[in-house]
Amino acid sequence: MTPPAPSKLAMVPFVSVDNMMRMVRDVGPERMMTELAERIEADFRRWPAFDKTPRIAAHSPEGVIELMPTSDGKAYAFKYVNGHPGNVRTGHQTVTAFGVISDVETGYPALLTEMTLLTALRTAATSAMAARHLAPSDASVMAMIGNGAQCEFQALAFRAMLGIEQVRLYDIDPAATAKAARNLAAAGLRVTSCASAQEAVAGAQIITTCTADKQFATILTDNMVGAGVHINAIGGDCPGKTELHRDILLRSDIFVEYPPQTRIEGEIQQLDPDHPVTELWQVVTGRAQGRRNASQITLFDSVGFAIEDFSALGYVRERVARTGHCQMLDLLADPDDPRDLYGMLLRSAG
Amino acid sequence: MTPPAPSKLAMVPFVSVDNMMRMVRDVGPERMMTELAERIEADFRRWPAFDKTPRIAAHSPEGVIELMPTSDGKAYAFKYVNGHPGNVRTGHQTVTAFGVISDVETGYPALLTEMTLLTALRTAATSAMAARHLAPSDASVMAMIGNGAQCEFQALAFRAMLGIEQVRLYDIDPAATAKAARNLAAAGLRVTSCASAQEAVAGAQIITTCTADKQFATILTDNMVGAGVHINAIGGDCPGKTELHRDILLRSDIFVEYPPQTRIEGEIQQLDPDHPVTELWQVVTGRAQGRRNASQITLFDSVGFAIEDFSALGYVRERVARTGHCQMLDLLADPDDPRDLYGMLLRSAG
């Protein structure tokens, strides 16, 4: 007698990196980020419906491992993500991630997926979504300081959603800039490789910072930021890791995802705990104003929030249900009689 | 040109339910629980080395979904687990789980595994480990109130580690008792099926309660618990879910895993927040006394703690490394140049 095959209830769809790449290629990176942004904005519009908690971080000298859960009462999602700036030295990714979306009614996982790529896409989608509310409406040039794994996704999302035509690149490592310049030129963007951050920001209406060092760094100093600019600050995202000089923060109107998390992790960890900030969901819903005038400096102090992953996981779940591009994993024990877990074990011997 | 195969760094070993059942059969359930108990006790002995946090719970009317992370600074582990008492009605498991163990140095997951079966094993292993310190040394009869999925594992662990020879079963559903009686008699235990909880506890030196209702229930009343008994209370494990009458708690010396979590989830949620309890790790290390005399009532108010899962995941990781009984999942994006995630996507088209 052969052991019985696992039942349907035991199986959970799994999206590998390979299947995720296939999805991104099938949809197209810019269209997928645009669709993700729509979904993220729709979820920000119903912000109060979500359980929210600052992510649960385990810090070590080498980096951080985080769990980011949230739920809207129907679905539950969490992401596992690490951040290890030194990983590059051993050929590892700085950030890797995977996640799960579940049905609240049963608690059963409905999808397991890689999220290294998906996080890159949703982060850029969130930045562009925020910039649509905050950046000057005529923005066509973006400075990109930090040309690592997130760089191209940011540039393409800003082209697709804000009409950015030119990117001005700078990284302390010229090889990173060369890599990004090659990829973005091939994608049809006008690319200028710069020798300093100061040079990169010249003429840019939007400044994106996404460097990876885990230390208080000053990527931008006050004199580099002119009136009317929108700053999209991605890289300051854990305690002790910031990118902007404090004086810039004091001149800016600051927009954040979830204040209890951003106060710990974002650029605003440099400010008093009661420094005024505006929650992005309130801008999206019209309860708060985004950009007010042409001379205002707006700053999106982005750290990444669980609801963005929830949106992305929901997107992938729906798409996989249509395409079937996944593997089925025998992840959940499913005895014939739910109370007979031991009997299932016995009978599995066949 | 075919797209390049995922590199070794991209792959994470996955232990399916099928491979977990194979492991349990290969090792033998009782030996595996004994080895798990040794490992859990060793980790309890170095309790201060662990990052500890109460689990992160998302409650809904139907049940709860929890994340349980911990780390000893070298490895990081978390478990996803749900608890949905109504699931049995639709043929789902009340509790399903999976988990991951990672290397803190890189943040990379080292193993993904089913944990529905593994949780059943580690829960029973923990109960038996605690009972070795707390139960009367001559115990040979255990009452088991609640004959669901956890029941057989408890009985076998207590036979293997405490020499229990007879189990006295009771469940409000006679079909559950019949199932457990069949399985345990086949395993060579002396089994008595009882018509009431009162009848089940007669002559037992150890009383194990593991019922699943999410409500304040009274499985045991004060008059049912005689002097000298050890109570192994498994089922009271979330807010609003308890099994024992408060008067029993007041007569018992109470031992817990991690007080900040047990005060919220355990039987002691019925007591004042400063009611004295003893932490099990202090008994294990000899800093606190376990059983003092033959008339004392000891109560292990078990809710399950992340360190037990950490121990179990470490055990599985080592065993899988020896046997290779796993699948390799393409879970982590691994571009040739870690900063060139976008380039990997482009090149994946082949």
Side-chain angles (χ1 to χ4, degrees):
Chain A
M1 184 178 134
T2 54
S7 84
K8 244 176 94 172
L9 279 182
M11 306 306 275
V12 176
F14 165 60
V15 180
S16 65
V17 174
D18 196 50
N19 268 320
M20 182 62 74
M21 290 197 292
R22 178 174 177 173
M23 181 184 310
V24 182
R25 290 194 316 264
D26 286 354
V27 180
E30 291 181 56
R31 191 181 132 209
M32 185 159 161
M33 287 190 284
T34 304
E35 290 177 355
L36 284 170
E38 281 163 12
R39 193 155 179 136
I40 292 165
E41 184 157 339
D43 284 337
F44 270 55
R45 245 181 250 122
R46 59 192 189 98
W47 189 263
F50 285 89
D51 269 351
K52 289 171 287 290
T53 174
R55 56 184 145 211
I56 303 99
H59 294 280
S60 65
E62 298 85 10
V64 62
I65 299 176
E66 299 171 329
L67 297 175
M68 302 168 67
T70 190
S71 169
D72 69 353
K74 286 195 71 174
Y76 169 95
F78 82 90
K79 179 168 80 173
Y80 169 109
V81 59
N82 76 297
H84 285 66
N87 268 3
V88 176
R89 287 194 295 273
T90 49
H92 293 71
Q93 285 284 110
T94 303
V95 174
T96 64
F98 65 91
V100 166
I101 187 163
S102 305
D103 290 317
V104 168
E105 194 182 348
T106 60
Y108 271 44
L111 181 86
L112 167 70
T113 177
E114 88 83 36
M115 288 188 78
T116 308
L117 263 165
L118 190 60
T119 296
L121 294 159
R122 77 83 162 127
T123 299
T126 303
S127 286
M129 185 273 276
R132 277 202 300 210
H133 295 279
L134 303 176
S137 56
D138 62 347
S140 64
V141 181
M142 178 156 80
M144 304 229 36
I145 302 174
N147 303 148
Q150 174 63 200
C151 175
E152 291 92 334
F153 297 96
Q154 289 281 339
L156 295 177
F158 276 74
R159 173 166 75 178
M161 295 168 62
L162 282 101
I164 289 296
E165 295 161 1
Q166 187 193 347
V167 290
R168 300 177 62 81
L169 305 178
Y170 172 69
D171 195 290
I172 46 167
D173 181 354
T177 302
K179 174 267 317 181
R182 200 165 50 237
N183 285 336
L184 292 175
L189 274 155
R190 276 174 51 210
V191 177
T192 309
S193 300
C194 302
S196 68
Q198 175 103 43
E199 186 188 336
V201 302
Q205 297 91 18
I206 299 175
I207 303 173
T208 292
T209 56
C210 50
T211 61
D213 265 330
K214 189 180 179 180
Q215 60 191 24
F216 290 102
T218 305
I219 310 300
L220 286 184
T221 52
D222 194 31
N223 62 311
M224 290 161 67
V225 178
V229 158
H230 173 61
I231 305 172
N232 173 41
I234 303 301
D237 63 356
C238 70
K241 182 158 172 275
T242 60
E243 297 182 310
L244 307 184
H245 193 283
R246 189 169 178 276
D247 289 346
I248 300 175
L249 308 185
L250 298 175
R251 283 167 66 207
S252 305
D253 288 308
I254 302 173
F255 299 82
V256 304
E257 289 143 317
Y258 181 58
Q261 182 175 303
T262 313
R263 301 258 183 218
I264 299 169
E265 302 178 351
E267 297 298 330
I268 58 172
Q269 63 186 280
Q270 303 180 66
L271 302 181
D272 293 336
D274 57 354
H275 188 92
V277 297
T278 304
E279 295 184 54
L280 186 57
W281 75 273
Q282 298 205 308
V283 176
V284 165
T285 54
R287 291 173 207 209
Q289 210 174 346
R291 174 163 289 272
R292 287 192 318 272
N293 59 59
S295 63
Q296 183 190 14
I297 299 173
T298 50
L299 165 62
F300 178 40
D301 184 4
S302 172
V303 296
F305 189 57
I307 294 176
E308 296 149 24
D309 300 310
F310 179 97
S311 312
L313 283 161
Y315 178 93
V316 172
R317 180 184 184 176
E318 282 178 18
R319 179 137 189 116
V320 165
R322 284 203 304 277
T323 65
H325 292 160
C326 64
Q327 300 160 243
M328 297 306 287
L329 292 190
D330 169 27
L331 183 62
L332 304 175
D334 179 47
D336 303 330
D337 171 356
R339 292 168 309 194
D340 198 7
L341 194 60
Y342 178 76
M344 178 182 79
L345 178 63
L346 281 190
R347 285 187 292 277
S348 68
Chain B
M1 184 180 133
T2 52
S7 83
K8 243 176 95 171
L9 279 183
M11 306 306 276
V12 176
F14 165 61
V15 180
S16 65
V17 174
D18 196 49
N19 269 319
M20 182 61 74
M21 290 196 293
R22 179 173 176 173
M23 182 185 308
V24 181
R25 289 194 317 265
D26 286 355
V27 181
E30 290 179 56
R31 190 180 134 210
M32 184 160 161
M33 287 190 285
T34 303
E35 290 177 356
L36 284 170
E38 281 162 13
R39 193 154 181 136
I40 292 165
E41 185 158 338
D43 284 337
F44 270 55
R45 245 181 250 125
R46 58 192 189 98
W47 189 264
F50 286 88
D51 268 350
K52 288 170 287 291
T53 173
R55 57 185 146 210
I56 302 99
H59 293 280
S60 65
E62 298 85 10
V64 63
I65 298 175
E66 299 171 329
L67 297 175
M68 301 168 68
T70 191
S71 169
D72 68 354
K74 287 195 70 173
Y76 168 94
F78 82 90
K79 179 168 80 171
Y80 169 109
V81 59
N82 76 296
H84 285 67
N87 269 3
V88 175
R89 287 194 295 274
T90 50
H92 293 71
Q93 284 284 108
T94 302
V95 174
T96 65
F98 64 90
V100 167
I101 187 164
S102 304
D103 290 318
V104 167
E105 193 182 349
T106 60
Y108 271 43
L111 181 86
L112 167 70
T113 178
E114 90 81 37
M115 288 188 79
T116 308
L117 263 164
L118 190 60
T119 297
L121 294 158
R122 76 85 162 125
T123 299
T126 304
S127 286
M129 185 272 276
R132 276 201 300 210
H133 296 278
L134 303 176
S137 56
D138 62 346
S140 64
V141 180
M142 177 156 80
M144 306 229 33
I145 302 174
N147 303 148
Q150 173 64 200
C151 174
E152 291 91 335
F153 298 97
Q154 289 281 340
L156 295 177
F158 275 75
R159 172 168 74 179
M161 296 168 62
L162 282 99
I164 288 297
E165 295 161 2
Q166 185 192 351
V167 289
R168 301 177 60 82
L169 306 177
Y170 172 69
D171 195 290
I172 47 168
D173 181 355
T177 302
K179 174 267 318 181
R182 201 165 51 236
N183 286 335
L184 292 175
L189 274 155
R190 275 174 52 212
V191 178
T192 310
S193 300
C194 302
S196 69
Q198 176 103 44
E199 185 188 336
V201 301
Q205 296 91 18
I206 298 175
I207 303 173
T208 292
T209 56
C210 51
T211 61
D213 266 329
K214 189 181 178 177
Q215 60 191 22
F216 290 102
T218 304
I219 311 300
L220 286 185
T221 51
D222 194 31
N223 63 310
M224 291 160 66
V225 177
V229 159
H230 174 61
I231 305 173
N232 174 41
I234 303 300
D237 63 356
C238 71
K241 183 159 173 277
T242 60
E243 296 181 313
L244 307 184
H245 193 283
R246 189 169 178 277
D247 289 346
I248 300 175
L249 308 185
L250 297 175
R251 283 168 64 206
S252 305
D253 288 309
I254 302 173
F255 299 83
V256 304
E257 290 142 317
Y258 181 58
Q261 181 176 301
T262 313
R263 300 257 183 220
I264 298 169
E265 302 177 351
E267 297 298 328
I268 57 171
Q269 64 187 278
Q270 303 180 68
L271 300 182
D272 293 338
D274 56 355
H275 188 93
V277 298
T278 304
E279 295 184 53
L280 186 56
W281 75 272
Q282 298 204 307
V283 177
V284 165
T285 54
R287 292 174 207 211
Q289 211 175 346
R291 173 164 290 271
R292 287 192 317 272
N293 59 58
S295 64
Q296 183 190 16
I297 300 174
T298 51
L299 166 61
F300 178 40
D301 185 3
S302 171
V303 296
F305 189 57
I307 293 176
E308 297 149 24
D309 300 310
F310 179 97
S311 313
L313 282 161
Y315 177 93
V316 172
R317 180 184 184 175
E318 282 178 18
R319 178 134 190 117
V320 165
R322 283 204 304 276
T323 64
H325 292 161
C326 63
Q327 299 160 246
M328 297 306 286
L329 292 190
D330 168 29
L331 182 63
L332 303 175
D334 180 47
D336 303 331
D337 172 356
R339 293 168 308 194
D340 199 7
L341 194 59
Y342 178 76
M344 178 183 77
L345 178 63
L346 281 189
R347 287 187 291 277
S348 68

